[in-house]
Amino acid sequence: MNLSRAYATVFGVVYTLVGVVGLLVAPTLAVATLIVFPVNVLHNAVHLLVGVLGIAAVVSNRTVEYARAMAVVFAVLTLAGFLPQPLLGLVPIGGLDIVLHAATAVLAAAAGWLYRPRPTVAA
Amino acid sequence: MSVGGPMAGEHGAAMVALLFLPVALMAGLTLVEGAARSGSAAAARLRLALQETPAAARLALLGMLVSAAVHLGLAPGHLAEDPVLGALFVLDGAALGAVAAWSLVRPRAGWRLAGAVLLLAGVLAYAGYVVTGAESADAVGVATKVVELAALGLLALPGRLAAPHPSRHFGGQTR
C-alpha cells in the first residue's frame, strides 16, 4: 500500500475542509476555543495550506515529499507548542494541539520513510 | 464553546471530530500496512481489498467517513436537548462507518447502494430541517452536505470511470 499517497489524500481532503470551515467561523486574529483547540485565522489558514498542498501532492504525484515535509513541519510545530502561547503573539498551537501535531508528525514519518511502497514486480 | 460566527454551539464538536479523523484513519492504515508486512494474513487481505477498491470509490469512502465523524461528533451535544435527533446522529454515523467497513470485507456486495441511500437520506433530512426552520444552516452543516453530495456523485460513477490508474493507486508505485 502506498501510505504516502493515502496520507496526502486523507490530510489533503480533510484539512482543506477544516481550513475552509475554520476560516468561516474564526476569521480574525482573536483566539477562540474550539472545545479543546485554540484557533484563529492564522491557525485556520495553516490548516487550509496543509490541505491544499496535500491535494497538490496527490495530483502531481509527489506524495513522498509531502509526507516527509509534513513530518518535519509538524515535529517543529509540536516543539513550538511548548513555547509561550499564542506563538509569537500570533498563532495558538499549545494545549491538545501538541498531541495532535505529534501524532500527525509520527504518521507522516511512517508514510514518508518507514513504509515506502514496494516496487511492482513485472510478471 | 466560544467560537462565534455562523456555527451553532454543538457543531464545534463536529470540527474537533474532523480534526482527529485523519490521524485515526492514518493510524489504522499504518497498522494494517505494518501487520501485512509482518506476515498477518488478515492484514494482507484488508490491504488487498483497499488496493482493489477503485480510486473514486476510495474518495467516496473518505467522504462517508467525514460525514460519520461529523455526525458522531454532533451526537453528544444533541442527545441532551433532542434525544431523537441525537440518536439519529449516532445511527447515521455508525451506519456510514459500518458501510465503509463492509466495502472492504465484501467489496462486491451492495455497499455502494447502502452508502448512497445513507448519504441521500442525510442530505434530504438536513434540507428538511433547514426548510422547516428546525435547524439553521451553518458552515459545518453546509460543508458536510457538500462533501456528502460529492461522495454520492463518486459512488454513482460507472465502474469503468471509477477504475484506478495504476500509477495513481494507493498500492501502486509512484516514485
Side-chain angles (χ1 to χ4, degrees), chain B residues 32-143:
Chain B
V32 167
E33 180 67 18
R37 291 189 185 210
S38 301
S40 163
R45 277 196 301 275
L46 196 56
R47 181 174 65 174
L48 186 64
L50 262 172
Q51 289 171 340
E52 290 183 343
T53 303
R58 280 198 304 263
L59 269 179
L61 285 174
L62 180 57
M64 288 165 59
L65 290 174
V66 165
S67 176
V70 168
H71 285 106
L72 291 174
L74 288 171
H78 281 84
L79 277 170
E81 60 184 47
D82 187 346
V84 174
L85 185 58
L88 285 174
F89 281 147
V90 172
L91 282 175
D92 191 51
L96 284 167
V99 170
W102 173 15
S103 74
L104 298 180
V105 177
R106 289 185 180 276
R108 294 193 187 281
W111 71 268
R112 281 171 179 267
L113 180 61
V117 168
L118 284 171
L119 291 168
L120 190 60
V123 172
L124 292 177
Y126 184 74
Y129 266 80
V130 170
V131 167
T132 59
E135 181 92 22
S136 56
D138 75 343
V140 173
V142 172

Side-chain angles (χ1 to χ4, degrees), chain A residues 4-120:
Chain A
S4 69
R5 188 164 189 83
Y7 184 94
T9 304
V10 170
F11 275 85
V13 170
V14 177
Y15 269 61
T16 298
L17 182 67
V18 168
V20 169
V21 175
L23 285 173
L24 290 173
V25 300
T28 70
L29 278 175
V31 176
T33 304
L34 193 62
I35 311 289
V36 288
F37 292 109
V39 292
N40 69 357
V41 66
L42 288 177
H43 195 129
N44 289 318
V46 172
H47 283 164
L48 184 58
L49 183 65
V50 167
V52 170
L53 286 176
I55 292 171
V58 173
V59 172
S60 62
N61 233 7
R62 300 179 72 88
T63 55
V64 171
E65 289 89 340
Y66 174 78
R68 290 178 176 179
M70 289 302 111
V72 174
V73 167
F74 277 99
V76 171
L77 288 175
T78 302
L79 296 176
F82 292 102
L83 298 173
Q85 297 299 317
L87 187 67
L88 305 175
L90 292 173
V91 191
I93 52 171
L96 203 58
D97 262 330
I98 295 172
V99 177
L100 196 62
H101 290 162
T104 303
V106 169
L107 292 167
W113 282 289
L114 187 58
Y115 291 140
R116 297 282 312 278
R118 288 173 173 167
T120 305

